[in-house]
Every structure is written in structure tokens, then in C-alpha cells.
Amino acid sequence: MSATKTRTSSFSRNFASANSSQIPGLKHGPNGTVFISSGIPDLDKILGGGFSLGSLVMVMEDAEAPHHMLLLRNFMSQGLVHNQPLLYASPSKDPRQFLGTLPSPAVPKDDKSSHRDPDQEKGLRIAWQYKKYFGENQHSSDSQGGKHEFCNEFDLRKPLERQFLSGKHIDCISIQDSPNLVTLNDRCATFLSRFPRSDRSISSVGRIAIQSFCAPQCEFSNMEWDMLSFVRSLKGMVRSSNAVAVVTFPPNLLSPSSCKRWQHMADTLLSVKAIPDEDKELEKLLTGYQDMVGLLNVQKVARLNTQVPVILEATTLSIKLKKRRFMVLECLNQAPIDGSSGSSYGTTGSCSVSSKSGTLDF
């Protein structure tokens, strides 16, 4: 009597790639990583594709300016545009009022599809046929006749349309009067239970946005161990689900030891800082100082399925508002002699030279 041995392997076929490609707002990366967009095209490029599904993103706020709200607004709007359920927690009395400040996707400058000549249309058809031979992993899908981009450019002056704010896929929680974190933890667990992680398919993804966690308005703001336990629990729940959680917190309200523990708990760690007004020394040092509204520092990038370290071109970037409407991130450029300005992240090969070429450029 011979026993039949079953050969097992630690490698498994990724069944989720084919099925989830039909869902708008998802992009596949190396080693089976799936990304959702942060809502900021430049930040997606910096992070290698966006926020990884199952990751905890923490943003360290600046006490001088609410620049973290720019990141939160774009993150929340991008999810609502893709019809991704949202859980939003805030220390304000009525968090739902914040939804009225979310930006709307920018309309393309001009749609020239009806004005193309026959030769141009023929060339576009040929280019589309050959597109499948290139290794681009940028997914955009058509759903109900509408084109869904992976990441939109949002107009901060135009509010999000009411159609995206209606429905049962938005859950708002006020943590102002909560004596403890039990209610918030239960609401997050109930929300994340709708997006269980499966190796075979991704039916939908969710987003959690928690604003100003440990703010002084919250009664639990002095319970540092309880807050750390909640962050640890949230990270574990998100890791086993098809969702991303973004938590912003003011580090100056925490003890140094607790602040370090919070930073280590994050998969992706960002921090924002205000630009000092009329800093003459900084103005001489940096290009485009007058257009900067703040600084973004990338302290840690999530890598869930690999141990390869991430080497960024730059860790500190300037936050600018293009045409006072669109948020862009730029590498900090040292002020050149010719007075040229910086460029958006990823458009130049180096972050230490200007966009114009000169005789002394290397």
C-alpha cells in the first residue's frame, strides 16, 4: 500500500489580477501588490504607484498650517469618484460638513476628438493597436460609458458634485465626545469586514480617513496607550482587508516616545510643514519659493510584498498650487543663476538641477 504524496509550493497564481482589472481605481504593481491612488498624481509617482492595499498611511500634521487637509481631501475625493466606500472620522461636531469641501475632478482642457482630421485618427487607431505590446501597467476602464482614470487632477476651487456624495457608501463619525476608542474601533471593524482579502478576486475596495487623531477636542487625547493600541488594531484589520487607512495626527501633542511608536506603526509615513512667511534666506536658496505653500516629507514608503529598500530621488518636496487650483509636488531646486523654476516630480532626471539646461549642467 503506497501513500500518495501531494507536492505543495509556496508560490501561487495571482487570480486577482484579471478580475480586479475591471474595477476602476486599481493598479497592479510588482510581487502582486495592488495600488489605489492617493488623489495626487505626483505623490503616486513618488510612492511607486500609490497607496498599497492593506497598508496604513500616517501623516504628521504641522501645528502652524492645515496642509494635511489637502492630502485628506484629495484622498477622499479620489475614492468617491471611483465609487469606493469611505469611512471618515473627525474631531469636529458634524464631520459630514467636511464633505462639502472636497474638490472636484478637473475637466480636460479641450476635447479634440470631434475635430481630428482623418490622418490623425488613423494614427491614433494604429497607436492603440500597438499599445498592448508595451509594458505600461496603467489601467483605465470604462464603466457605464464613463472613463475612469487611476488618478484625477482635482480642482481645489470646485466642490465635488452632489452625485458622488449621495448614497450609503459614506460613513461619517465624530470622535469629539467619545470617552474612549471602543466605538471607533467597532465602526472600523464593521466597515473593513465588507472588504475581506481573497486570493482569487477583488470585488471592491474601501478607504478610511481619520483626521487629527489625538486632537485636544477628543476626551481620549491623554490616553496614549489606548490610542497606540487602536493604531495597532487598525493596522492589523487593514492588513487583512482590501482597504487603505490614512490617519493624520499632531505629533506635538504626543510624548516623544509615543510619537516614535506611532511612526514605526505606519507602513507609509508622511509629514507636512508650513513655509515661513518672508524667509529671505530660504527665498534666496530655493527656486520658486514664492509659489510654495508648504513642504512634504516622505519618511517611509510601504513595501508589503518585498524586502527591497526604496531609494527616492528626493524625500522633501515642495507643495505648490498650480494656477491656485491644482496641487503639485516638486523637487526642491537650488536657485540657479539663470532664474529658472523647478518642475513637477518625475519630469526631470534629477532633483538638484534646474529645468533649463546650461553650460555648467552635468
Side-chain angles (χ1 to χ4, degrees):
M1 183 175 179
S2 59
T4 303
K5 294 184 179 180
T6 304
R7 186 176 182 180
T8 60
S9 174
S10 60
F11 295 95
S12 62
R13 189 175 178 182
N14 188 3
F15 294 95
S17 300
N19 296 330
S20 60
S21 61
Q22 304 299 326
I23 303 177
L26 296 185
K27 182 169 64 175
H28 296 276
N31 303 319
T33 305
V34 182
F35 297 104
I36 63 173
S37 175
S38 64
I40 307 172
D42 292 332
L43 184 56
D44 288 345
K45 296 178 183 177
I46 295 168
L47 300 178
F51 293 150
S52 304
L53 277 187
S55 65
L56 173 64
V57 182
M58 304 198 73
V59 181
M60 301 172 63
E61 304 175 6
D62 186 3
E64 302 296 331
H67 293 321
H68 62 281
M69 305 297 286
L70 294 174
L71 303 181
L72 267 187
R73 286 189 177 99
N74 283 36
F75 171 75
M76 295 168 63
S77 292
Q78 188 66 74
L80 295 179
V81 168
H82 288 150
N83 295 320
Q84 297 169 354
L86 170 68
L87 173 65
Y88 172 61
S90 168
S92 62
K93 194 69 176 179
D94 186 8
R96 190 164 289 273
Q97 292 184 354
F98 181 71
L99 301 179
T101 66
L102 299 183
S104 178
V107 180
K109 295 181 179 179
D110 50 357
D111 187 5
K112 300 181 180 180
S113 59
S114 60
H115 301 285
R116 297 191 186 107
D117 53 72
D119 293 337
Q120 185 178 5
E121 290 187 356
K122 181 179 178 181
L124 289 176
R125 286 197 301 268
I126 296 176
W128 179 260
Q129 293 174 357
Y130 281 93
K131 186 178 181 180
K132 62 182 178 181
Y133 295 106
F134 294 93
E136 299 178 359
N137 203 12
Q138 303 289 339
H139 293 286
S140 62
S141 60
D142 295 334
S143 177
Q144 299 177 355
K147 186 177 182 181
H148 295 276
E149 300 292 341
F150 173 72
C151 183
N152 296 90
E153 193 173 33
F154 290 94
D155 189 343
L156 299 178
R157 291 188 177 184
K158 183 179 179 182
L160 191 64
E161 297 179 5
R162 190 177 299 272
Q163 61 179 356
F164 296 111
L165 302 177
S166 60
K168 299 181 180 179
H169 61 286
I170 302 178
D171 190 8
C172 296
I173 308 171
S174 175
I175 57 177
Q176 184 181 91
D177 300 326
S178 300
N180 52 50
L181 291 164
V182 175
T183 302
L184 180 60
N185 188 82
D186 292 343
R187 296 284 288 273
C188 291
T190 303
F191 178 81
L192 292 173
S193 64
R194 299 160 54 186
F195 316 101
R197 174 156 294 188
S198 174
D199 294 335
R200 294 187 174 276
S201 64
I202 300 178
S203 57
S204 62
V205 299
R207 298 186 182 220
I208 293 180
I210 302 179
Q211 172 198 340
S212 300
F213 193 54
C214 82
Q217 303 95 299
C218 305
E219 296 184 17
F220 54 80
S221 59
N222 59 344
M223 306 176 183
E224 293 192 350
W225 281 109
D226 292 345
M227 291 188 293
L228 180 62
S229 299
F230 169 78
V231 173
R232 184 185 296 109
S233 174
L234 178 62
K235 180 177 181 178
M237 290 186 295
V238 172
R239 186 60 54 86
S240 59
S241 64
N242 291 317
V244 172
V246 175
V247 180
T248 71
F249 68 97
N252 58 307
L253 299 181
L254 296 172
S255 63
S257 59
S258 294
C259 186
K260 286 294 183 183
R261 289 187 177 98
W262 285 37
Q263 296 178 38
H264 286 299
M265 289 298 298
D267 295 310
T268 297
L269 180 62
L270 310 173
S271 62
V272 291
K273 186 176 179 60
I275 291 288
D277 294 333
E278 298 182 358
D279 190 330
K280 300 299 181 181
E281 296 298 328
L282 193 60
E283 183 177 2
K284 293 179 181 178
L285 180 64
L286 298 177
T287 296
Y289 169 80
Q290 297 297 337
D291 299 328
M292 297 181 187
V293 297
L295 298 175
L296 173 71
N297 187 264
V298 182
Q299 302 190 18
K300 187 195 298 185
V301 180
R303 283 298 181 267
L304 303 183
N305 299 331
T306 180
Q307 295 181 350
V308 179
V310 180
I311 302 177
L312 302 176
E313 289 187 18
T315 56
T316 303
L317 304 108
S318 63
I319 303 174
K320 294 185 177 181
L321 296 181
K322 184 175 62 176
K323 299 180 180 179
R324 297 185 179 181
R325 290 175 176 263
F326 312 107
M327 182 178 175
V328 296
L329 302 177
E330 293 184 355
C331 298
L332 292 179
N333 290 345
Q334 193 171 8
I337 299 176
D338 57 3
S340 59
S341 60
S343 56
S344 179
Y345 184 88
T347 58
T348 58
S350 174
C351 58
S352 61
V353 297
S354 63
S355 59
K356 294 183 179 180
S357 59
T359 56
L360 298 180
D361 288 343
F362 293 95

